[in-house]
């Protein structure tokens, strides 16, 4: 008997579990029909039985991840036993056997090492295994950060997001235990991990996960970018657990130094370390309730993070009024404390009901409270508040084998994602500028108190069939999200002072406030969405070398529209209605992939397909409220009729005030965003446990979302001049001189599906699986993304959202340029090395030199692109945040190179108790203390609209933000 072809692969992504299949042949190569095949989980005793089809094919789908053994029996042949088959999440392990003629009482035990070459995988994906999740140093313990270890994945400029193939983070999907774990309102992961809370699932509860970069199967949907497929830990027949504590403090953090590679940096050397306390702790335990039948796993993790907010105010003029303001504002400059408290509980029960069915139930409870975390850009606690995230996630997975060739799988998921935010002050927000820059801010921030509450219910059913050489799968997926969003933007009012002297004299430059419309819900919207999906796919083992994966998926998104229609005839003439959202019915997604084994040491794969992404409910919800009827936001200039006395608020719009509301409406032909993805990989086995992959990734984004103000006049050529270095250069630039076409409104922002993108990426990836105490994963990606500035969540005018909108909304092609996540060069590597080579030495030497572990993550990448701006409303469209400097295109400049090294050194300490081990851990993030600049002053000129003069700004390209300095973290881990 010989195993003539065997591979661990990912032919079609298996959600939450794995697939084990192969073909059985006799010595002549003919198929062996009706052979009995038994798969047994070596940790839980789970047993699956099947018989081979007329083509000699066996197939076990949706089996829990773990290590398995196989037993094959057929009349007239020797029985075969093979153990140690590792099934990772999403894997489709293909193990083919050639039987030897003999008695069934005879047996052959296969001891071959599981091959490293993946010969039937068609999509581009990478598995981050259990050892990497447990032993690599990760700053902050958000397991999603491990996705950046894979080719084609970078951090999206929007905090907390990842960019796959140049797409923005809203195009991704996170699946945990086979269920949707996304916040449909903001288009991010559950609880907005990495943005409004550190993480929503404990790293200790994650067993492993698969990163699907490109060309994944029809079963996986609602993502035009990438998909992260996670499986959590389960109990086994042995009791296991651990307790841990990670600790940082002020003395373990380096001073922030100036950038040593850019003379434009202006951070002073050695900014003093601020008081800082950071603790992460927890424990878990898992084991059997009934051996081989019923298992449990429980995990708790907590985080306590406390740091001060220290104010560094710019110099003030020496005149009496300004100095008076400085003294009056001194009460708002005292440092205050910001705290993040995170608590996560996970409980899981797995039940092997019998050899033909099993049930798994998992509940994750997450509670995050951020004290003074609501608005992180305020200089006084009155301008912030407490920001919380509370998520509850209950998932049920049921799997049943019907006969010998049919599998039924059903999943139910309930997700509750609540995000309340409070305000620390009732008074209005006060912003004081000096010389065109923000000096200080205090008072109630302009969007709190608020909340976003989501209740989502998902049901999934799939049916898998084996017919000859075909492994067919059909399924349906419904996800109903009930959303309530309360966002009282500017309901607390904002007073703006353009100078310290104005503040001393209580002469506000302007005042902004919003009021609810009568008989409306004001800032409350309910942008519910019902999502439906159906798919069919087939894996065809066309030959022992060629595997084809193909299928089709259909997605339907049914979004709730607003209940109030603006009666303006000008809007009706354009077909714009706030109470109507187009339902996109044509979302069929065909997909095709192949894998071909060239030799025993080389395989190639590729795929192409259409992928449909989501529209975030923040977009549809804004169309519910910003309809010109439900919310009235107005701005009064200082001294105008009805201007309130500082610091009072208004209860109604003053009589005689001309009020032109801003509108937000979905385009009448709005469609879902889509991408076409294609890939080609060549994988080579360079050693028994090491492979190298050469790959290409292509992503074409179509119908991508953007927000565009259509209520503007065409820009006209205007003469001006640039003053720089004492010289004056004449220029011509574009500026709108005519009033808004519809005088009843300010901005009429239309959410459209008109943006496009193109991504090309070539990569080389080397991977060594864990063997001989060592594993590594490294890749280099060379890529480029070009787009015309899609803006998937730019919905609130007069905020930072305005920077994401095209400069000329009547000429969107003028913004075509490098994408926001365009990183041409990126290398990332990771390794885990268990240093345990002292067994031949004395007991003392073994204790001193044995049981060490070294692990690291290193990254070097091109800096993100940025746009050179003016910072004032040069083109007179009402948006001062998106005007480019004359002569510059979008994203034509780039931040300095980013490079970092994170390390962990650990030592195991024997405790003299069987199975109990203590581990001492030291971690250093940004070990070299390199100053990585993450933001610069992008304003090249200041602009005088009266004289049309551009004057060079003094701080252009000066560093405005850097990544964290070197941080050392100590830890203890007790395992049993």
């Amino acid at each position: 008997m010989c195993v003539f072809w065997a591979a661990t692969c990912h032919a079609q992504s298996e959600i939450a579990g794995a697939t084990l299949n192969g073909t059985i042949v006799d010595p002549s190569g003919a198929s062996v029909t009706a052979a009995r095949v038994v798969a047994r989980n070596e940790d839980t005793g789970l047993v699956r039985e099947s018989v081979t089809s007329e083509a000699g094919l066996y197939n076990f789908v949706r089996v829990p991840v773990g290590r398995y053994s196989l037993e094959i029996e057929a009349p007239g042949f020797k029985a075969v036993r093979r153990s140690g088959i590792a099934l990772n999440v999403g894997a489709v392990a293909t193990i083919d056997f050639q039987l030897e003629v003999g008695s069934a009482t005879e047996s052959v035990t296969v001891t071959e090492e599981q091959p490293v070459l993946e010969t039937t995988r068609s999509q581009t994906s990478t598995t981050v295994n259990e050892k990497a999740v447990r032993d690599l140093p990760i700053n902050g313990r958000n397991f999603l950060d491990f996705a950046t270890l894979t080719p084609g994945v970078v951090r999206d400029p929007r905090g907390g997001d990842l960019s796959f193939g140049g797409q923005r983070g809203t195009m991704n999907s996170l699946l945990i235990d086979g269920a949707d774990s996304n916040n449909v309102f903001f288009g991010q992961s559950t609880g907005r991990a990495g943005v409004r809370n550190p993480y929503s699932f404990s790293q200790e509860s994650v067993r492993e996960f698969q990163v699907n970069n490109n060309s994944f199967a029809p079963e996986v949907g609602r993502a035009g970018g990438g998909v992260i497929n996670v499986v959590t830990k389960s109990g086994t027949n042995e009791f296991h657990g651990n307790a841990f504590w990670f600790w940082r403090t002020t003395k373990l953090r380096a001073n922030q130094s100036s950038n040593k590679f850019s003379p434009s940096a202006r951070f002073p050397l050695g900014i003093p370390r601020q008081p800082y306390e950071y603790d992460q702790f927890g424990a878990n335990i898992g084991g059997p309730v009934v051996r081989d039948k019923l298992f449990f796993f429980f995990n708790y993790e907590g985080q306590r993070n406390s740091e001060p907010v220290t104010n560094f105010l710019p110099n003030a003029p020496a005149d009496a009024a300004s100095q008076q303001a400085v003294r009056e504002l001194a009460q708002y400059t005292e440092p205050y404390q910001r705290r993040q408290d995170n608590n996560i509980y996970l409980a899981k029960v797995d039940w092997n009901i019998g050899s033909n069915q099993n049930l798994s139930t998992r509940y994750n409870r997450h509670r995050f409270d951020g004290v003074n975390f609501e608005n992180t850009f305020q200089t006084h606690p009155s301008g912030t508040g407490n920001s919380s995230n509370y998520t509850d996630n209950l998932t049920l997975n049921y799997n049943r084998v019907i006969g010998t060739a049919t599998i039924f799988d059903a999943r139910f998921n309930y997700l509750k994602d609540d995000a309340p935010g409070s305000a620390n002050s009732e008074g209005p927000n006060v912003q004081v500028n000096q010389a065109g820059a923000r000096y200080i801010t205090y008072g109630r921030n302009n969007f709190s108190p608020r909340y976003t509450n989501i209740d989502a219910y998902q049901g999934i059913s799939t049916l898998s069939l084996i017919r000859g050489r075909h492994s067919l799968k059909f399924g349906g997926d419904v996800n109903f999200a009930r959303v309530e969003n309360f966002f009282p933007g500017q309901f607390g009012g904002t007073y703006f002072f353009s100078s310290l002297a104005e503040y001393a004299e209580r002469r506000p430059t302007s005042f902004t406030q919003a009021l609810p419309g009568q008989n409306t819900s004001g800032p409350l919207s309910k942008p519910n969405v019902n999502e439906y999906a159906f798919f069919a796919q087939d894996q065809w083992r066309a030959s022992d070398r060629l595997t084809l994966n193909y299928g089709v998926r259909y997605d339907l998104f049914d979004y709730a529209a607003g209940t109030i229609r603006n009666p303006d005839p000008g809007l009706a003439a354009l077909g714009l209605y706030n109470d109507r959202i187009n339902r996109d019915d044509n979302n069929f997604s065909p997909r095709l992939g192949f894998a071909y084994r060239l030799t025993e040491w080389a395989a190639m794969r590729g795929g192409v397909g259409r992928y449909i992404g989501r529209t975030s409910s923040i977009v549809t919800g804004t169309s519910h409220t910003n309809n010109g009827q439900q919310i009235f936001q107005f701005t009064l200039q200082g001294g105008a009729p009805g201007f309130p006395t500082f610091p009072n608020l208004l209860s109604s719009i003053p009589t005689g005030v001309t009020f032109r509301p801003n509108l937000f409406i979905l385009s009448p032909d709005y469609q879902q965003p889509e991408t076409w993805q294609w890939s080609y990989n060549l994988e080579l086995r360079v050693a028994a446990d090491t492979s190298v992959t050469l790959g290409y990734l292509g992503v074409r984004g179509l119908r991508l979302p953007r927000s565009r103000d259509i209520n503007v006049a065409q820009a006209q050529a205007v003469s001006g001049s640039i003053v720089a270095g004492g010289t004056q250069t004449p220029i011509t630039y574009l500026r709108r001189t005519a009033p808004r076409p519809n005088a009843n409104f300010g901005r009429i922002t239309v959410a459209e599906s008109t943006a496009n993108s193109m991504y090309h990426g070539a990569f080389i990836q080397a991977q060594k699986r864990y063997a001989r105490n060592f594993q590594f994963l490294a890749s280099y990606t060379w890529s480029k993304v070009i787009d015309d500035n899609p803006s998937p969540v730019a919905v609130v005018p007069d905020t930072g959202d305005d920077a994401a909108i095209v400069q000329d909304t009547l000429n969107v092609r003028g913004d075509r340029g490098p994408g926001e996540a365009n990183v041409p060069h990126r290398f990332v590597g990771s390794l885990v090395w268990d240093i345990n080579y002292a067994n031949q030495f004395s007991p003392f030497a073994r204790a001193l030199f044995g049981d060490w572990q070294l692990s690291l993550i290193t990254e070097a990448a091109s800096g993100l692109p940025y746009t050179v701006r003016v910072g004032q409303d040069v083109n007179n469209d009402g948006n001062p945040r998106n005007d480019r400097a004359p002569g510059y295109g979008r994203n034509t400049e780039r931040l300095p190179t980013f490079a970092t090294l994170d390390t962990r050194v650990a030592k195991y300490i024997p405790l003299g108790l069987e199975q109990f081990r203590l581990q001492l851990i030291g971690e250093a993030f940004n070990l070299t203390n390199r100053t990585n600049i993450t933001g610069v002053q992008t304003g090249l000129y200041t602009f005088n609209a009266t004289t049309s003069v551009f004057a060079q700004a003094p701080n252009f390209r000066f560093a405005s933000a850097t990544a964290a300095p070197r941080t050392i973290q100590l830890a203890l881990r007790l395992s049993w």
Side-chain angles (χ1 to χ4, degrees):
M1 190 281 306
C2 67
V3 179
F4 74 96
W5 180 48
T8 300
C9 60
H10 301 80
Q12 289 187 344
S13 298
E14 188 68 43
I15 302 303
T19 290
L20 176 60
N21 65 20
T23 54
I24 311 298
V25 298
D26 64 17
S28 68
S31 300
V32 176
T33 302
R36 179 174 176 265
V37 184
V38 179
R40 186 184 306 274
N41 188 302
E42 296 175 352
D43 295 320
T44 67
L46 173 70
V47 175
R48 291 282 179 86
E49 296 187 19
S50 182
V51 296
T52 55
S53 67
E54 61 273 19
L57 179 67
Y58 71 91
N59 194 20
F60 300 102
V61 302
R62 285 281 295 158
V63 293
V65 299
R67 296 184 66 83
Y68 283 79
S69 63
L70 270 180
E71 301 174 4
I72 299 106
E73 296 178 353
F77 298 96
K78 296 179 181 180
V80 177
R81 306 284 189 274
R82 177 166 184 161
S83 61
I85 301 171
L87 296 184
N88 299 116
V89 60
V92 180
T94 301
I95 311 291
D96 293 350
F97 293 91
Q98 188 176 65
L99 303 184
E100 293 181 1
V101 176
S103 168
T105 59
E106 300 178 88
S107 66
V108 177
T109 300
V110 180
T111 59
E112 295 178 7
E113 188 174 354
Q114 192 167 332
V116 68
L117 197 65
E118 299 184 346
T119 56
T120 61
R121 171 162 63 92
S122 58
Q123 91 275 10
T124 301
S125 64
T126 302
T127 297
V128 180
N129 64 17
E130 184 175 9
K131 189 168 186 63
V133 172
R134 182 183 64 241
D135 294 336
L136 285 176
I138 195 76
N139 193 357
R141 294 179 57 79
N142 181 2
F143 76 89
L144 294 175
D145 290 342
F146 285 119
T148 61
L149 299 179
T150 62
V153 183
V154 299
R155 299 186 188 279
D156 191 278
R158 183 191 184 200
D161 286 359
L162 299 171
S163 173
F164 287 73
Q167 297 302 304
R168 305 306 302 270
T170 56
M171 292 285 276
N172 303 329
S173 182
L174 171 65
L175 306 177
I176 299 182
D177 292 326
D180 192 291
S181 295
N182 300 283
N183 183 301
V184 298
F185 186 82
F186 291 103
Q188 296 176 307
S189 63
T190 299
R192 305 184 70 193
V195 184
R196 280 295 179 177
N197 83 88
Y199 44 86
S200 304
F201 275 75
S202 167
Q203 180 183 344
E204 293 292 326
S205 68
V206 173
R207 174 167 179 154
E208 59 188 37
F209 62 93
Q210 179 191 47
V211 181
N212 292 279
N213 304 75
N214 192 291
S215 304
F216 38 89
E219 183 180 5
V220 185
R222 303 190 184 111
V227 173
I228 299 176
N229 180 18
V230 180
V231 62
T232 57
K233 293 179 179 178
S234 296
T236 66
N237 276 326
E238 303 293 333
F239 284 100
H240 292 288
N242 69 67
F244 59 92
W245 176 43
F246 289 81
W247 174 71
R248 307 179 192 178
T249 189
T250 307
K251 294 181 180 180
L252 297 179
R253 203 175 195 181
N255 288 355
Q256 177 66 68
S257 62
S258 68
N259 183 267
K260 304 173 181 59
F261 311 102
S262 171
S264 66
R266 65 187 186 98
F267 282 116
L269 284 170
I271 292 177
R273 291 174 292 192
Q274 301 301 306
Y276 176 67
E277 293 295 332
Y278 187 94
D279 296 272
Q280 291 175 303
F281 47 86
N284 61 61
I285 187 170
V289 178
V290 178
R291 286 187 61 84
D292 291 340
K293 287 291 184 181
L294 190 62
F295 310 90
F296 79 95
F297 177 79
F298 177 79
N299 180 77
Y300 164 75
E301 179 162 336
Q303 175 182 296
R304 303 295 182 265
N305 184 0
S306 179
E307 59 183 343
V309 178
T310 304
N311 300 308
F312 298 97
L313 299 180
N315 294 327
D319 63 277
S322 296
Q323 290 301 310
Q324 177 186 335
V326 170
R327 290 190 295 272
E328 292 176 352
L329 293 169
Q331 61 181 310
Y332 302 113
T333 62
E334 292 299 320
Y336 64 95
Q337 204 73 12
R338 181 181 296 145
R339 194 173 75 245
Q340 300 178 57
D341 296 343
N342 212 33
N343 293 286
I344 302 175
Y345 311 82
L346 181 140
K348 189 174 183 181
V349 175
D350 297 275
W351 182 18
N352 297 335
I353 302 173
S355 61
N356 64 344
Q357 57 183 328
N358 64 287
L359 176 68
S360 179
T361 303
R362 187 260 301 152
Y363 170 63
N364 190 83
R365 176 184 173 88
H366 165 236
R367 295 294 182 267
F368 169 76
D369 290 294
V371 178
N372 293 324
F373 198 67
E374 177 71 349
N375 194 335
T376 59
F377 301 102
Q378 299 301 301
T379 55
H380 187 259
S382 63
T384 181
N386 296 343
S387 180
S388 300
N389 276 98
Y390 305 141
T391 67
D392 296 272
N393 191 197
L394 174 65
T395 300
L396 304 176
N397 283 278
Y398 175 75
N399 187 276
R400 182 180 180 88
V401 180
I402 304 172
T404 60
T406 304
I407 310 291
F408 172 73
D409 178 77
R411 280 164 272 165
F412 171 77
N413 182 53
Y414 169 69
L415 173 62
K416 186 175 184 63
D417 194 335
D418 292 350
S422 65
N424 284 348
S425 174
E426 292 295 327
N429 186 260
V430 179
Q431 299 178 11
V432 182
N433 273 21
Q434 180 61 45
R438 183 68 52 84
Y439 181 84
I440 199 169
T441 299
Y442 69 89
R444 172 181 165 183
N445 74 70
N446 58 23
F447 57 83
S448 302
R450 49 89 196 173
Y451 63 83
T452 304
N453 297 339
I454 304 171
D455 289 270
Y457 309 84
Q458 183 185 28
I460 307 170
S461 294
T462 62
L463 191 67
S464 302
L465 309 170
I466 302 175
R467 296 293 183 268
R469 288 184 170 269
H470 296 267
S471 297
L472 303 162
K473 183 180 286 189
F474 309 90
D477 176 356
V478 295
N479 189 45
F480 301 148
R482 298 297 171 259
V483 185
E484 286 192 351
N485 181 58
F486 182 79
F487 187 81
Q490 293 291 1
F491 273 61
T494 296
Y495 281 95
F496 174 75
F497 296 87
S498 60
S499 68
L500 288 165
E502 275 191 357
Y503 181 81
E505 298 163 0
R506 301 301 189 263
R507 291 187 296 106
T509 305
S510 64
F511 171 74
T512 300
Q513 187 178 344
L515 295 167
Q518 292 186 353
N519 302 317
T520 73
S521 60
L524 176 64
S525 65
K526 297 183 179 181
N528 301 328
V529 56
N530 296 332
E531 300 174 332
Y532 307 88
F534 307 94
F535 75 92
Q537 64 189 47
D538 180 23
Q539 181 189 74
W540 178 26
R541 295 280 306 273
S543 70
D544 66 337
R545 290 178 177 267
L546 177 64
T547 300
L548 296 177
N549 301 297
Y550 50 89
V552 65
R553 180 184 178 92
Y554 176 74
D555 284 283
L556 177 65
F557 299 84
D558 186 11
Y559 295 99
T563 59
I564 298 176
R565 174 180 295 187
N566 193 297
D568 184 79
L571 298 176
L574 296 173
L576 299 176
Y577 302 103
N578 298 87
D579 60 344
R580 183 183 301 173
I581 296 178
N582 180 52
R583 192 169 71 179
D584 184 9
D585 296 333
N586 64 345
N587 294 319
F588 288 94
S589 303
R591 302 174 193 179
L592 171 65
F594 77 93
Y596 188 76
R597 178 171 59 90
L598 295 168
T599 67
E600 294 302 319
W601 52 268
M604 63 179 181
R605 66 182 67 92
V608 62
R610 185 182 189 227
Y611 297 83
I612 306 298
R614 279 177 162 129
T615 296
S616 302
S617 290
I618 192 174
V619 175
T620 58
T622 304
S623 72
H624 290 199
T625 55
N626 288 21
N627 50 31
Q629 304 287 305
Q630 200 158 320
I631 294 176
F632 298 107
Q633 180 174 317
F634 53 92
T635 297
L636 304 177
Q637 300 303 315
F643 198 95
T645 302
F646 176 80
N648 296 321
L649 299 179
L650 297 174
S651 59
S652 62
I653 301 174
T655 304
V657 172
T658 301
F659 173 60
R660 291 188 288 184
N662 295 321
L663 303 183
F664 188 92
I665 307 175
L666 268 75
S667 172
D669 59 354
Y670 182 86
Q671 300 182 70
Q672 293 301 119
E674 73 169 88
T675 60
W676 280 88
Q677 300 183 4
W678 59 97
S679 63
Y680 175 79
N681 297 172
L682 175 65
E683 185 177 18
L684 306 173
R685 186 189 69 205
V686 297
D689 54 13
T690 306
S691 67
V692 173
T693 301
L694 306 175
Y696 163 75
L697 306 174
V699 181
R700 171 65 166 159
L702 300 170
R703 307 188 310 185
L704 302 180
R706 76 159 105 247
S707 300
R708 187 169 68 91
D709 179 12
I710 65 170
N711 195 26
V712 294
Q714 285 285 355
Q716 306 297 321
V718 177
S719 298
S721 60
I722 295 177
V723 178
T727 62
Q728 198 163 358
T729 305
I731 64 166
T732 300
Y733 65 98
L734 297 178
R735 184 172 174 82
R736 291 175 171 81
T737 57
R740 293 187 179 273
N742 190 328
N744 295 327
F745 304 104
R747 296 195 204 180
I748 301 177
T749 301
V750 176
E752 301 177 326
S753 48
T754 58
N756 299 284
S757 70
M758 176 61 75
Y759 173 90
H760 296 287
F763 71 89
I764 179 170
Q765 181 182 48
Q767 183 170 11
K768 180 187 181 301
R769 72 185 179 197
Y770 187 75
R772 291 173 286 279
N773 299 334
F774 184 69
Q775 73 174 36
F776 70 78
L777 174 66
S779 65
Y780 165 73
T781 305
W782 176 43
S783 64
K784 185 174 184 179
V785 56
I786 296 290
D787 60 35
D788 49 11
N789 202 7
S791 50
V793 290
V795 295
V796 183
D798 300 320
T799 68
D801 287 1
D802 283 350
I805 296 175
V806 294
Q807 176 178 257
D808 185 349
T809 62
L810 300 184
N811 178 26
V812 295
R813 296 289 293 177
D815 267 42
R816 186 166 179 80
E820 300 296 320
N822 181 42
V823 180
H825 303 279
R826 184 172 186 267
F827 169 82
V828 61
S830 65
L831 67 86
V832 180
W833 182 19
D834 292 324
I835 306 172
N836 191 19
Y837 304 111
N839 290 336
Q840 69 272 27
F841 299 148
S842 66
F844 176 79
R846 287 199 299 270
L848 185 62
F849 300 110
D851 289 326
W852 287 86
Q853 184 185 76
L854 171 68
S855 59
L856 63 84
I857 296 175
T858 184
E859 177 185 354
S862 305
L864 288 172
Y866 67 89
T867 300
V868 179
R869 301 197 184 276
V870 177
Q872 285 121 331
D873 192 7
V874 175
N875 62 7
N876 198 32
D877 66 349
N879 182 358
R881 291 179 170 88
N882 66 345
D883 291 78
R884 295 192 294 271
Y888 285 85
R890 173 175 157 264
N891 284 337
T892 54
E893 300 294 309
R894 188 172 295 280
L895 295 174
T897 300
F898 180 94
T900 189
L901 173 63
D902 299 337
T903 59
R904 170 188 284 189
V905 177
K907 168 68 174 175
Y908 285 101
I909 306 296
L911 298 179
L913 299 173
E914 186 177 359
Q915 295 185 338
F916 279 81
R917 301 182 76 189
L918 179 66
Q919 189 179 34
L920 308 180
I921 301 172
E923 295 180 330
F925 305 106
N926 190 11
L927 177 66
T928 63
N929 200 31
R930 175 188 167 101
T931 301
N932 288 301
I933 294 180
T934 57
V936 296
Q937 300 287 349
T938 61
L940 175 58
Y941 300 116
T942 61
F943 174 68
N944 187 317
T946 303
T947 61
S948 292
V949 172
F950 297 83
Q952 193 159 5
N955 296 330
F956 178 56
R957 289 200 181 101
F958 278 21
S960 60
T962 62
R966 179 177 58 241
T967 301
I968 295 175
Q969 178 170 273
L970 304 178
L972 295 173
R973 183 192 298 273
L974 177 65
S975 302
W976 63 86

